[in-house]
């Protein structure tokens, strides 16, 4: 290790309080250790909420307040639902800055076109995929997956299968509508630390990414990781310029492994779609593609760096909210360098109380700010589990922006109405909001059944008290309803649902006195009188009115052309009666059966006349012509009876 020590000196300096404690381990626990703060920080932390927990002045000011921050810069909910006072007074707020990242150009040939083949990009081969598939099958057999899995065995199997399945398990842990709650609870443990990478591998990766010796960038790197997960590993380091940073390094080859697993999943999904084409409930191919989109974005650390940069700008409006500042000039596709922030994880409420923090105030401000992210900004942290939330310097610090979500304005408006309706126990308004949200992919023929199911949801959830409302169960019911009716819920809304369920679980476990729905509904109520919201609506109406006016003028011009063609006999019109296909088909079947019945009657009567006429030749005592008529009439009669019987049974099913 002499060379290693010569290249990068190990940072062994720890704080007097015991040094940083590794955060909750998951891919997104990369940045900061959750540790007790030093004695000086403890003093300022206690001052964050006053001498008595919960005593916070609405007009409290601090040196930690962002320069230039005014009341007009905050939303109404920041001054009504929760104050915008900082949680502590022990340090200046950092500004979001950093050089813009550089991007490698993508080549396009003059004749070969754009080359972006998935297998070539990730160096996938048929032999490699078969080898990986054999490995997956052997591991599944090892855990006897064919005969069923217990929650513990499923978690252990996912861990053995590698990073792709660990990530799948983490996603499934938030999908109680897919798996029983016991499985979700067990899969949530996949956030635990993975075996750490060798220190030399970290150094080699950094040297390869920067194309220069590590000592030219980092003065020191602690060889003991702050956290190690299946996707990446985090180390505390010091830059040559003196800044204390956290370095998140992606495990070598992890994206290629995920790409290989996804390629196998795509093949299986295509086969499953062909086999289950008529009875398919889940879009297997769509699920696999959504998984790959998630994998690809989370393994591209430049995405996380840009998310940190954008979220840093958002947090600048709040004295009590922050996130690490990324060093964009040092961030690459496989490395993220950001400020190291020492603090206490929200999963340690006892330590927070011991330092003088008020848990209820923390929870209230956290939920209100999250409502601002989802409903006002449309850009939100998609995985607010305890390991991604720490308290440092009197501020709520959200870390790991690898998984974020975005909502357009229309979706945010509908979600506001739905949540507000639940909070106000307004069943008709809830039903109206659900219909506005769900009918984007619903067929018109499903409306009666859809309304009946909505009535059941309204009856179950629209009349419960706020403290008894189970958000996870409510979202699960909505998702199952959408699946039954073939409604494709936007993935962004599904992400919101998962995030809200995660946040609710956090509050129930660590801050049970905070009611999330009540805070969010209060946020919505306050925002309804926000002048900025009204101005945005007026601006939107103006733009839509402008488009509508031009559309109306264009329609008049087209009507002029159509009328001219009509007077010249050049216009043809095709008419289609929507909804009349089924009645016309039934009428056609009735006419066909009636016609066949008349033919059968005619054959029986004609054959009887021939019989009594005694025409020759004769077979079985019946003239041949009459005999053939009887046989044909009998066959047609049997066919009509069977046709009526089987079609009747088919309609019943």
């Amino acid at each position: 290790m002499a060379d290693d020590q010569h290249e990068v000196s190990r940072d062994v300096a720890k704080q007097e309080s015991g040094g940083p404690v590794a955060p909750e381990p998951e891919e997104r626990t990369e940045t900061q250790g959750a540790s007790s703060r030093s004695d000086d920080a403890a003093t300022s932390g206690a001052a964050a909420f006053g001498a008595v927990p919960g005593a916070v002045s609405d007009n409290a000011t601090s040196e930690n307040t962002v320069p230039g921050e005014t009341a007009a810069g905050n939303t109404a909910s920041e001054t009504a639902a929760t104050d915008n006072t900082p949680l502590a007074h022990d340090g200046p707020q950092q500004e979001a800055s950093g050089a813009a990242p550089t991007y490698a150009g993508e080549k396009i040939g003059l004749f070969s076109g754009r080359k972006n083949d998935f297998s070539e990009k990730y160096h996938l081969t048929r032999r490699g995929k078969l080898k990986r598939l054999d490995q997956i099958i052997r591991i599944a057999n090892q855990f006897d997956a064919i005969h069923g899995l217990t929650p513990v065995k499923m978690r252990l199997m996912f861990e053995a299968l590698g990073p792709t399945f660990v990530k799948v398990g983490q996603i499934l842990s938030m999908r109680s509508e897919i798996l029983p709650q016991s499985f979700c609870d067990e899969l949530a443990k996949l956030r635990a630390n993975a075996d750490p990478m060798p220190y030399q591998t970290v150094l080699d990766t950094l040297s390869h990414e920067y194309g220069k010796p590590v000592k030219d960038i980092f003065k020191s790197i602690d060889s003991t990781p702050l956290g190690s997960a299946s996707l990446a590993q985090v180390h505390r380091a010091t830059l040559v310029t003196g800044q204390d940073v956290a370095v998140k390094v992606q495990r070598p080859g992890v994206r290629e492994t995920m790409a290989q697993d996804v390629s196998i999943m795509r093949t299986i999904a295509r086969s499953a779609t062909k086999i289950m084409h008529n009875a398919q409930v889940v879009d297997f191919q769509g699920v696999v593609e959504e998984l790959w989109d998630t994998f690809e974005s989370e393994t591209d650390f430049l995405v996380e760096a840009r998310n940190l940069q954008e979220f840093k700008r958002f947090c600048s409006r709040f004295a009590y909210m922050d996130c690490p500042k990324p060093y964009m000039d040092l961030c690459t596709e496989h490395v993220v360098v950001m400020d190291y922030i020492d603090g206490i994880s929200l999963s340690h409420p006892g330590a927070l109380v011991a330092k003088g923090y008020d848990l209820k105030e923390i929870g209230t401000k956290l939920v209100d700010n999250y409502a601002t992210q989802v409903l006002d900004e449309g850009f939100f942290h998609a995985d607010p589990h305890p390991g991604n939330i720490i308290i440092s310097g009197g501020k709520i610090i959200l870390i790991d922006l690898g998984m974020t979500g975005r909502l357009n304005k229309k979706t945010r408006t509908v979600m506001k109405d739905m949540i507000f309706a639940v909070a106000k126990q307004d069943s008709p308004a809830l039903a109206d909001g659900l219909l506005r949200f769900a009918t984007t992919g619903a067929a018109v023929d499903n409306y009666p059944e859809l309304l009946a199911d909505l009535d059941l949801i309204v009856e179950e959830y629209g009349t419960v008290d706020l403290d008894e409302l189970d958000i996870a169960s409510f979202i699960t019911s909505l998702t199952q309803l959408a699946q039954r009716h073939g409604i494709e819920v936007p993935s962004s809304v599904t992400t919101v649902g998962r995030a809200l369920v995660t946040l609710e679980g956090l509050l129930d476990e660590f801050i049970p006195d905070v009611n999330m729905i009540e805070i969010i509904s209060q946020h919505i109520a306050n925002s309804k009188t926000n002048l900025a919201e009204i101005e945005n609506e007026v601006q939107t109406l103006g733009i839509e009115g402008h488009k509508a006016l031009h559309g109306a003028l264009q329609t008049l011009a087209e009507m002029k052309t159509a009328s001219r063609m009509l007077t010249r006999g050049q216009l043809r019109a095709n008419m289609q009666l929507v909804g009349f296909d089924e009645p016309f088909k039934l009428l056609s079947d009735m006419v066909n059966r009636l016609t066949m019945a008349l033919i059968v009657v005619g054959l029986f009567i004609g054959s009887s006349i021939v019989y009594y006429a005694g025409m020759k030749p004769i077979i079985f005592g019946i003239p041949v012509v009459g005999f053939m008529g009887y046989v044909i009439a009998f066959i047609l009669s049997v066919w009509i009876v069977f046709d009526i019987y089987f079609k009747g049974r088919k309609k019943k099913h």
Side-chain angles (χ1 to χ4, degrees):
M1 293 297 292
D3 295 338
D4 296 344
Q5 293 174 357
H6 176 72
E7 183 175 357
V8 179
S9 62
R10 178 178 177 181
D11 181 7
V12 296
K14 302 293 181 181
Q15 294 185 0
E16 295 179 0
S17 59
V21 180
E24 288 295 315
E26 202 230 345
E27 276 83 0
R28 296 175 296 282
T29 63
E30 65 286 8
T31 57
Q32 295 80 7
S35 68
S36 300
R37 299 175 299 150
S38 61
D39 296 337
D40 293 340
T43 304
S44 60
F49 305 95
V52 180
V56 181
S57 173
D58 290 343
N59 298 321
T61 58
S62 166
E63 62 183 41
N64 204 22
T65 305
V66 181
E69 181 180 9
T70 62
N74 302 325
T75 60
S77 59
E78 296 162 31
T79 56
T82 61
D83 59 59
N84 195 30
T85 57
L87 302 184
H89 312 276
D90 57 354
Q93 188 171 13
Q94 297 168 340
E95 297 178 359
S97 64
T102 58
Y103 303 94
E106 190 173 3
K107 295 182 179 179
I108 301 178
L110 292 177
F111 301 101
S112 59
R114 182 178 178 180
K115 195 171 186 179
N116 189 25
D117 183 78
F118 186 82
S119 297
E120 287 192 13
K121 182 178 180 181
Y122 296 104
H123 310 291
L124 305 181
T125 62
R126 184 182 298 273
R127 177 179 296 181
K129 289 193 289 186
L130 290 175
K131 185 177 180 180
R132 173 59 174 163
L133 181 60
D134 179 68
Q135 182 184 19
I136 293 173
I137 293 174
R138 283 190 284 106
I139 293 176
N141 289 334
Q142 179 182 348
F143 288 91
D144 198 19
I146 297 178
H147 296 92
L149 291 170
T150 63
V152 175
K153 287 177 67 176
M154 177 177 283
R155 176 179 60 82
L156 294 175
M157 185 182 72
F158 280 175
E159 289 177 346
L161 287 171
T164 306
F165 291 88
V166 169
K167 178 59 62 179
V168 170
Q170 291 169 356
I171 294 174
L172 288 176
S173 70
M174 298 181 286
R175 300 297 295 271
S176 57
E177 77 276 10
I178 297 178
L179 292 177
Q181 191 61 44
S182 59
F183 283 81
C184 294
D185 295 339
E186 186 65 30
L187 291 179
K189 298 178 182 178
L190 288 170
R191 303 182 189 279
N193 279 346
D195 294 333
M197 285 189 294
Y199 180 59
Q200 185 60 44
T201 302
V202 174
L203 298 179
D204 292 342
T205 301
L206 291 172
S207 178
H208 178 268
E209 286 295 311
Y210 295 128
K212 62 176 69 174
V214 180
K215 63 181 180 180
D216 292 348
I217 301 173
F218 299 99
K219 181 179 180 181
S220 64
I221 300 178
D222 193 347
S223 61
T224 303
L226 296 173
S228 180
S230 60
L231 182 63
Q233 187 163 296
V234 184
H235 289 259
R236 185 175 181 178
T238 303
L239 298 177
V240 292
T241 52
Q243 291 94 335
D244 194 10
V245 297
V247 183
K248 179 179 179 182
V249 182
Q250 188 174 129
R251 290 178 180 268
V254 72
R255 178 180 281 195
E256 286 71 19
T257 301
M258 288 183 165
Q260 191 173 58
D261 291 343
V262 167
S263 181
I264 295 172
M265 291 178 184
R266 282 173 174 166
T267 303
I268 297 174
R270 282 195 296 267
S271 302
T273 301
K274 293 178 181 178
I275 296 173
M276 306 177 63
H277 181 71
N278 294 328
Q280 185 176 338
V281 177
V282 179
D283 181 8
F284 293 106
Q285 291 180 278
V287 170
V288 172
E289 294 306 319
E290 184 178 347
L291 282 175
W292 174 244
D293 290 340
T294 302
F295 296 159
E296 195 170 31
S297 63
E298 289 196 37
T299 53
D300 184 356
F301 286 176
L302 283 174
V303 173
E304 179 175 351
R306 288 191 291 269
N307 288 339
L308 282 168
Q309 198 174 37
E310 182 176 354
F311 200 75
K312 185 76 174 178
R313 288 193 294 267
F314 165 77
C315 291
S316 64
R317 297 168 14 210
F318 304 92
Y320 60 86
M321 182 70 61
D322 204 357
C323 75
K325 180 191 73 174
Y327 293 80
M328 297 300 298
D329 55 333
L330 298 179
C331 294
T332 71
E333 192 174 355
H334 303 100
V335 176
V336 177
V337 179
M338 68 203 87
D339 280 333
Y340 175 82
I341 300 179
D342 190 16
I344 306 174
S345 171
L346 201 59
S347 59
H348 299 95
L352 290 171
V353 173
K355 296 298 182 181
Y357 287 102
D358 179 14
L359 294 180
K360 186 172 183 180
E361 184 190 2
I362 293 175
T364 301
K365 289 189 173 182
L366 174 64
V367 173
D368 184 74
N369 186 270
Y370 203 78
T372 302
Q373 297 175 36
V374 174
L375 301 176
D376 298 338
E377 296 295 320
F379 174 67
F380 59 95
H381 195 301
D383 192 17
H385 69 80
N388 284 341
I389 304 173
I390 62 176
I391 308 300
S392 176
K395 291 186 178 184
I396 301 171
I397 311 293
L398 294 183
I399 65 175
D400 183 8
L401 271 292
M403 184 181 292
T404 59
R406 296 182 185 273
L407 294 173
N408 59 39
K409 188 172 183 179
K410 179 180 178 181
T411 304
R412 298 201 304 267
T413 300
V414 175
M415 289 191 64
K416 286 181 182 180
D417 293 340
M418 290 173 58
I419 297 174
F420 198 63
V422 174
K424 292 296 184 181
Q425 302 179 6
D426 190 345
S427 299
L430 176 59
D432 178 67
L434 290 172
L435 283 173
R436 287 169 55 200
F437 175 71
T439 52
T440 54
V444 177
D445 295 339
N446 290 336
Y447 275 7
E449 186 178 353
L450 179 63
L451 285 172
D453 289 344
L454 286 177
D455 288 341
L456 295 177
I457 291 181
V458 169
E459 182 179 353
E460 182 176 0
Y461 297 101
T463 57
V464 299
D465 294 333
L466 290 176
D467 56 352
E468 298 177 357
L469 180 63
D470 187 345
I471 296 180
S473 177
F474 176 63
I475 293 176
T476 299
S477 298
L478 287 178
T479 306
Q480 291 175 346
L481 180 146
Q483 291 178 345
R484 287 197 303 271
H485 292 277
I487 299 171
E488 184 178 355
V489 179
S491 59
S492 58
V493 177
T494 306
T495 303
V496 173
R498 292 199 302 262
L500 290 177
V501 170
T502 303
L503 189 59
E504 183 192 36
L506 179 152
L507 296 175
D508 289 344
E509 183 175 0
F510 301 111
I511 315 177
D513 294 335
V514 175
N515 187 289
M516 185 169 69
I517 284 293
E518 187 174 6
I519 296 172
I520 294 177
S521 63
Q522 184 65 34
H523 176 96
I524 298 172
N526 293 332
S527 66
K528 286 183 177 296
T529 59
N530 194 347
L531 181 59
E533 186 74 16
I534 296 175
E535 291 177 352
N536 289 336
E537 289 296 328
V538 172
Q539 184 179 8
T540 301
L541 288 175
I543 295 174
E544 292 179 350
H546 180 266
K547 292 180 179 179
L549 178 59
H550 280 273
L553 294 176
Q554 185 177 1
T555 301
L556 290 175
E558 292 175 352
M559 288 180 61
K560 179 180 179 181
T561 303
S563 62
R564 183 180 303 171
M565 294 177 63
L566 180 62
T567 57
R568 295 180 180 181
Q570 298 174 335
L571 186 65
R572 294 182 180 180
N574 294 326
M575 295 184 61
Q576 182 180 5
L577 299 177
V578 181
F580 278 79
D581 292 343
E582 188 66 23
F584 280 149
K585 184 178 180 181
L586 293 175
L587 182 61
S588 177
D589 290 342
M590 292 173 59
V591 173
N592 291 339
R593 290 174 183 172
L594 181 60
T595 301
M596 296 298 294
L598 292 175
I599 293 174
V600 169
V601 171
L603 287 173
F604 270 112
I605 294 175
S607 299
S608 299
I609 293 174
V610 172
Y611 173 76
Y612 285 109
M615 294 177 60
K616 295 181 180 180
I618 296 175
I619 181 174
F620 301 118
I622 304 174
V624 174
V625 176
F627 179 79
M628 293 177 62
Y630 282 130
V631 172
I632 295 174
F634 176 76
I635 293 174
L636 292 177
S637 300
V638 172
W639 179 82
I640 292 174
V641 171
F642 273 89
D643 182 63
I644 295 173
Y645 175 74
F646 284 112
K647 285 190 176 180
R649 287 191 61 183
K650 186 177 179 181
K651 289 181 180 179
K652 289 181 180 179
H653 290 291

